[in-house]
Amino acid sequence: SGNTDGATCTSLLGIDEINKNQPLIITSLDQIVNFNLKQFINHIKKEKSDAGLICFNSIDPKWSYLLVDKNQNIKMLSEKRPISNLATAGVYFFKKAEFFLDSAKSQIIKKNTDIPNIFYISGVYNELLLLKKKISIFKINEFDFHKIGSHSNFKDLIINTKKQISEKYFTELTTNYVEAFNKNNYEKVGNLFNENSTLIEVGINQYFGKEEISKMFKNLFKNRIKLEIQNITVMYEKKISILEFKIFYK
Protein backbone atom coordinates (compact mmCIF):
# COMPACT_ATOMS: atom_id res chain seq x y z
CA SER A 1 0.00 0.00 0.00
CA GLY A 2 1.01 3.65 -0.21
CA ASN A 3 1.52 6.25 -2.89
CA THR A 4 3.38 5.72 -6.17
CA ASP A 5 5.15 8.22 -8.38
CA GLY A 6 2.10 8.81 -10.54
CA ALA A 7 -0.44 7.03 -12.74
CA THR A 8 2.19 5.47 -14.98
CA CYS A 9 3.89 3.77 -12.03
CA THR A 10 0.54 2.67 -10.56
CA SER A 11 -0.47 1.11 -13.89
CA LEU A 12 2.84 -0.75 -14.12
CA LEU A 13 2.03 -2.54 -10.86
CA GLY A 14 -0.27 -4.77 -12.91
CA ILE A 15 2.44 -5.74 -15.36
CA ASP A 16 2.33 -9.44 -14.37
CA GLU A 17 -1.37 -9.61 -15.28
CA ILE A 18 -0.97 -8.02 -18.70
CA ASN A 19 -0.89 -9.90 -22.01
CA LYS A 20 1.47 -7.79 -24.10
CA ASN A 21 -0.28 -8.65 -27.37
CA GLN A 22 -3.81 -7.82 -26.20
CA PRO A 23 -5.51 -4.39 -26.16
CA LEU A 24 -5.24 -2.43 -22.93
CA ILE A 25 -7.47 0.24 -21.39
CA ILE A 26 -6.27 2.35 -18.47
CA THR A 27 -8.68 4.62 -16.60
CA SER A 28 -8.85 6.49 -13.31
CA LEU A 29 -11.07 5.35 -10.44
CA ASP A 30 -11.84 8.84 -9.14
CA GLN A 31 -14.08 9.96 -11.99
CA ILE A 32 -17.30 9.18 -13.83
CA VAL A 33 -17.15 9.36 -17.62
CA ASN A 34 -20.34 8.90 -19.62
CA PHE A 35 -19.41 7.41 -23.00
CA ASN A 36 -20.06 4.40 -25.21
CA LEU A 37 -17.10 2.03 -24.89
CA LYS A 38 -17.96 0.13 -28.08
CA GLN A 39 -18.11 3.36 -30.10
CA PHE A 40 -14.81 4.47 -28.60
CA ILE A 41 -13.00 1.26 -29.57
CA ASN A 42 -14.64 1.10 -33.02
CA HIS A 43 -13.58 4.69 -33.67
CA ILE A 44 -9.95 3.79 -32.95
CA LYS A 45 -10.14 0.66 -35.12
CA LYS A 46 -11.73 2.59 -37.99
CA GLU A 47 -8.87 5.09 -37.95
CA LYS A 48 -6.37 2.20 -37.74
CA SER A 49 -4.69 3.84 -34.76
CA ASP A 50 -2.20 2.42 -32.28
CA ALA A 51 -3.81 4.16 -29.32
CA GLY A 52 -6.70 6.44 -28.43
CA LEU A 53 -7.93 8.72 -25.69
CA ILE A 54 -11.10 10.51 -24.65
CA CYS A 55 -11.13 14.27 -24.33
CA PHE A 56 -13.51 17.13 -23.55
CA ASN A 57 -13.43 20.93 -23.68
CA SER A 58 -11.85 22.67 -20.69
CA ILE A 59 -9.19 25.18 -19.67
CA ASP A 60 -8.92 24.10 -16.02
CA PRO A 61 -5.25 23.39 -15.11
CA LYS A 62 -6.30 20.32 -13.11
CA TRP A 63 -6.22 18.12 -16.23
CA SER A 64 -3.78 17.03 -18.88
CA TYR A 65 -4.11 18.60 -22.33
CA LEU A 66 -3.34 17.76 -25.92
CA LEU A 67 -2.22 20.03 -28.72
CA VAL A 68 -3.46 19.19 -32.23
CA ASP A 69 -2.75 20.49 -35.71
CA LYS A 70 -5.34 21.63 -38.27
CA ASN A 71 -6.00 18.01 -39.22
CA GLN A 72 -6.68 17.04 -35.59
CA ASN A 73 -3.44 15.07 -35.35
CA ILE A 74 -1.97 15.15 -31.85
CA LYS A 75 1.33 17.02 -31.66
CA MET A 76 2.00 16.69 -27.92
CA LEU A 77 0.41 16.33 -24.47
CA SER A 78 1.06 18.38 -21.37
CA GLU A 79 0.16 17.77 -17.74
CA LYS A 80 -1.56 20.45 -15.64
CA ARG A 81 -0.86 23.01 -18.37
CA PRO A 82 -3.70 24.05 -20.76
CA ILE A 83 -1.87 24.15 -24.08
CA SER A 84 -5.29 23.96 -25.79
CA ASN A 85 -8.93 23.56 -24.81
CA LEU A 86 -8.84 19.77 -25.22
CA ALA A 87 -8.47 18.05 -21.86
CA THR A 88 -8.05 14.30 -21.46
CA ALA A 89 -10.78 12.44 -19.55
CA GLY A 90 -8.44 9.86 -18.04
CA VAL A 91 -9.50 7.00 -20.34
CA TYR A 92 -6.62 5.60 -22.40
CA PHE A 93 -6.62 2.81 -24.99
CA PHE A 94 -3.62 0.93 -26.39
CA LYS A 95 -3.96 -1.40 -29.37
CA LYS A 96 -1.37 -3.64 -27.73
CA ALA A 97 -0.38 -3.58 -24.09
CA GLU A 98 3.28 -3.65 -25.13
CA PHE A 99 2.85 -0.14 -26.57
CA PHE A 100 2.06 1.07 -23.05
CA LEU A 101 4.75 -1.01 -21.33
CA ASP A 102 7.57 0.06 -23.64
CA SER A 103 6.57 3.73 -23.65
CA ALA A 104 6.02 3.80 -19.87
CA LYS A 105 9.50 2.40 -19.21
CA SER A 106 10.98 4.90 -21.66
CA GLN A 107 9.13 7.76 -19.98
CA ILE A 108 10.49 6.85 -16.55
CA ILE A 109 14.07 6.25 -17.73
CA LYS A 110 14.12 9.59 -19.59
CA LYS A 111 12.18 11.35 -16.78
CA ASN A 112 9.78 12.65 -19.42
CA THR A 113 7.30 14.49 -17.19
CA ASP A 114 5.94 18.00 -16.69
CA ILE A 115 5.76 17.53 -12.91
CA PRO A 116 9.10 16.60 -11.29
CA ASN A 117 9.24 12.95 -10.17
CA ILE A 118 5.55 12.30 -10.94
CA PHE A 119 4.78 10.30 -14.06
CA TYR A 120 1.39 10.71 -15.75
CA ILE A 121 -0.09 8.75 -18.68
CA SER A 122 0.12 11.91 -20.79
CA GLY A 123 3.90 11.40 -20.80
CA VAL A 124 3.41 7.84 -22.07
CA TYR A 125 1.52 9.25 -25.05
CA ASN A 126 4.35 11.69 -25.75
CA GLU A 127 6.65 8.69 -25.98
CA LEU A 128 4.21 7.05 -28.42
CA LEU A 129 4.29 10.19 -30.56
CA LEU A 130 8.10 10.05 -30.65
CA LEU A 131 7.74 6.50 -31.99
CA LYS A 132 5.42 7.82 -34.75
CA LYS A 133 2.45 5.91 -33.36
CA LYS A 134 -0.99 7.06 -34.47
CA ILE A 135 -3.32 8.24 -31.69
CA SER A 136 -7.07 8.80 -32.12
CA ILE A 137 -9.15 11.41 -30.32
CA PHE A 138 -12.68 10.58 -29.13
CA LYS A 139 -14.52 13.71 -27.98
CA ILE A 140 -17.29 13.83 -25.38
CA ASN A 141 -19.37 16.67 -23.97
CA GLU A 142 -17.79 18.35 -20.95
CA PHE A 143 -20.96 17.58 -18.99
CA ASP A 144 -20.25 13.86 -19.45
CA PHE A 145 -17.08 14.06 -17.35
CA HIS A 146 -17.29 14.21 -13.55
CA LYS A 147 -14.42 14.23 -11.07
CA ILE A 148 -15.06 12.61 -7.70
CA GLY A 149 -13.71 15.04 -5.14
CA SER A 150 -14.18 12.89 -2.04
CA HIS A 151 -16.00 9.85 -0.68
CA SER A 152 -18.72 12.09 0.75
CA ASN A 153 -19.86 13.42 -2.63
CA PHE A 154 -19.55 10.11 -4.50
CA LYS A 155 -23.15 8.99 -3.91
CA ASP A 156 -24.62 12.40 -4.74
CA LEU A 157 -22.55 12.57 -7.91
CA ILE A 158 -23.81 9.17 -9.12
CA ILE A 159 -27.44 10.11 -8.39
CA ASN A 160 -27.12 13.49 -10.13
CA THR A 161 -25.27 11.98 -13.10
CA LYS A 162 -27.98 9.35 -13.63
CA LYS A 163 -30.62 12.06 -13.38
CA GLN A 164 -28.86 14.25 -15.95
CA ILE A 165 -28.53 11.31 -18.36
CA SER A 166 -32.21 10.40 -17.92
CA GLU A 167 -33.35 14.00 -18.37
CA LYS A 168 -31.24 14.33 -21.51
CA TYR A 169 -32.67 11.09 -22.93
CA PHE A 170 -36.27 12.10 -22.14
CA THR A 171 -35.77 15.52 -23.75
CA GLU A 172 -34.19 13.96 -26.87
CA LEU A 173 -37.08 11.50 -27.09
CA THR A 174 -39.58 14.36 -27.03
CA THR A 175 -37.59 16.30 -29.64
CA ASN A 176 -37.46 13.26 -31.96
CA TYR A 177 -41.22 12.82 -31.54
CA VAL A 178 -41.90 16.44 -32.50
CA GLU A 179 -39.62 16.22 -35.55
CA ALA A 180 -41.26 13.00 -36.82
CA PHE A 181 -44.76 14.34 -36.10
CA ASN A 182 -44.25 17.57 -38.02
CA LYS A 183 -43.04 15.50 -40.99
CA ASN A 184 -46.18 13.29 -40.80
CA ASN A 185 -43.98 10.19 -40.44
CA TYR A 186 -46.31 7.89 -38.52
CA GLU A 187 -43.88 4.93 -38.61
CA LYS A 188 -41.09 6.92 -36.99
CA VAL A 189 -43.51 8.39 -34.46
CA GLY A 190 -44.81 4.93 -33.60
CA ASN A 191 -41.30 3.54 -33.10
CA LEU A 192 -40.74 6.04 -30.29
CA PHE A 193 -43.41 4.29 -28.20
CA ASN A 194 -43.52 0.86 -26.56
CA GLU A 195 -46.25 -1.43 -25.24
CA ASN A 196 -46.33 0.46 -21.93
CA SER A 197 -46.81 3.88 -23.53
CA THR A 198 -49.95 5.97 -23.16
CA LEU A 199 -50.99 8.83 -25.44
CA ILE A 200 -53.68 11.19 -24.15
CA GLU A 201 -55.76 13.58 -26.23
CA VAL A 202 -56.99 15.80 -23.44
CA GLY A 203 -60.76 15.52 -23.10
CA ILE A 204 -61.03 13.36 -26.24
CA ASN A 205 -59.42 9.92 -26.06
CA GLN A 206 -56.57 7.76 -24.76
CA TYR A 207 -54.42 5.28 -26.68
CA PHE A 208 -52.44 2.45 -25.12
CA GLY A 209 -49.45 0.57 -26.51
CA LYS A 210 -47.29 1.01 -29.60
CA GLU A 211 -49.67 -0.67 -32.07
CA GLU A 212 -52.74 1.34 -31.08
CA ILE A 213 -50.80 4.62 -31.02
CA SER A 214 -49.22 3.96 -34.44
CA LYS A 215 -52.63 3.21 -35.96
CA MET A 216 -54.03 6.44 -34.54
CA PHE A 217 -51.22 8.48 -36.11
CA LYS A 218 -51.60 6.73 -39.47
CA ASN A 219 -55.26 7.75 -39.58
CA LEU A 220 -54.49 11.23 -38.28
CA PHE A 221 -51.93 12.00 -40.98
CA LYS A 222 -54.44 10.98 -43.70
CA ASN A 223 -56.79 13.70 -42.49
CA ARG A 224 -57.48 16.94 -44.29
CA ILE A 225 -56.52 18.70 -41.08
CA LYS A 226 -52.80 19.17 -40.43
CA LEU A 227 -51.51 19.55 -36.90
CA GLU A 228 -48.13 21.09 -36.22
CA ILE A 229 -46.50 21.11 -32.79
CA GLN A 230 -45.71 24.67 -31.74
CA ASN A 231 -44.81 24.59 -28.04
CA ILE A 232 -43.17 21.90 -25.92
CA THR A 233 -43.10 21.58 -22.13
CA VAL A 234 -41.04 18.70 -20.76
CA MET A 235 -41.93 17.71 -17.17
CA TYR A 236 -39.18 15.20 -16.45
CA GLU A 237 -40.09 14.56 -12.81
CA LYS A 238 -43.53 13.29 -13.89
CA LYS A 239 -42.19 11.70 -17.10
CA ILE A 240 -44.66 13.81 -19.11
CA SER A 241 -44.23 16.01 -22.18
CA ILE A 242 -47.01 18.53 -22.89
CA LEU A 243 -47.33 19.51 -26.55
CA GLU A 244 -49.39 22.40 -27.97
CA PHE A 245 -50.65 22.15 -31.57
CA LYS A 246 -51.59 24.57 -34.29
CA ILE A 247 -54.27 23.46 -36.76
CA PHE A 248 -53.91 23.89 -40.52
CA TYR A 249 -56.36 22.84 -43.25
CA LYS A 250 -54.83 21.09 -46.27
Side-chain angles (χ1 to χ4, degrees), residues 51-53 77 92-94 121-129 135:
L53 50 76
L77 285 85
Y92 304 97
F93 176 89
F94 301 86
I121 306 295
S122 57
V124 174
Y125 274 71
N126 280 330
E127 292 297 321
L128 287 174
L129 290 171
I135 303 172

Side-chain angles (χ1 to χ4, degrees), residues 153-164:
N153 77 343
F154 181 61
K155 183 177 179 180
D156 289 340
L157 182 57
I158 291 177
I159 293 172
N160 290 334
T161 300
K162 287 183 176 179
K163 182 180 177 182
Q164 288 173 7

Side-chain angles (χ1 to χ4, degrees), residues 55-229:
C55 66
F56 61 97
N57 287 331
S58 180
I59 54 172
D60 194 317
K62 290 188 293 186
W63 321 125
S64 60
Y65 286 82
L66 49 116
L67 184 67
V68 299
D69 62 20
K70 61 181 181 180
N71 296 316
Q72 295 299 297
N73 296 312
I74 300 177
K75 305 297 291 181
M76 65 174 291
L77 285 85
S78 182
E79 192 67 39
K80 311 296 185 259
R81 187 165 60 97
I83 55 177
S84 72
N85 66 339
L86 290 176
T88 66
V91 180
Y92 304 97
F93 176 89
F94 301 86
K95 183 180 178 180
K96 291 184 178 181
E98 67 176 343
F99 293 164
F100 164 72
L101 296 172
D102 293 343
S103 295
K105 292 173 184 176
S106 179
Q107 177 199 20
I108 294 171
I109 292 171
K110 292 160 54 176
K111 296 188 182 298
N112 183 357
T113 175
D114 291 318
I115 313 296
N117 301 316
I118 302 179
F119 300 92
Y120 292 93
I121 306 295
S122 57
V124 174
Y125 274 71
N126 280 330
E127 292 297 321
L128 287 174
L129 290 171
L130 290 174
L131 294 172
K132 305 298 182 183
K133 298 294 186 182
K134 184 177 180 180
I135 303 172
S136 288
I137 301 170
F138 187 84
K139 295 181 181 179
I140 61 171
N141 192 295
E142 58 264 35
F143 299 111
D144 288 325
F145 175 83
H146 307 273
K147 190 72 171 178
I148 301 170
S150 63
H151 292 290
S152 60
N153 77 343
F154 181 61
K155 183 177 179 180
D156 289 340
L157 182 57
I158 291 177
I159 293 172
N160 290 334
T161 300
K162 287 183 176 179
K163 182 180 177 182
Q164 288 173 7
I165 294 171
S166 297
E167 287 180 347
K168 182 180 178 182
Y169 172 75
F170 192 69
T171 302
E172 287 179 351
L173 193 64
T174 301
T175 302
N176 291 339
Y177 169 83
V178 172
E179 181 181 340
F181 186 97
N182 285 342
K183 291 180 179 179
N184 289 355
N185 189 332
Y186 76 89
E187 291 181 341
K188 190 172 182 179
V189 171
N191 287 334
L192 295 172
F193 294 89
N194 58 44
E195 296 310 316
N196 297 317
S197 299
T198 302
L199 184 70
I200 302 173
E201 290 182 284
V202 179
I204 302 175
N205 209 341
Q206 295 186 42
Y207 304 90
F208 303 97
K210 178 178 178 178
E211 185 176 344
E212 189 173 319
I213 293 172
S214 297
K215 185 177 179 181
M216 185 277 294
F217 278 114
K218 184 176 182 179
N219 293 330
L220 176 66
F221 293 151
K222 287 181 178 179
N223 246 314
R224 291 180 59 197
I225 297 176
K226 179 183 177 183
L227 301 175
E228 185 174 301
I229 297 172

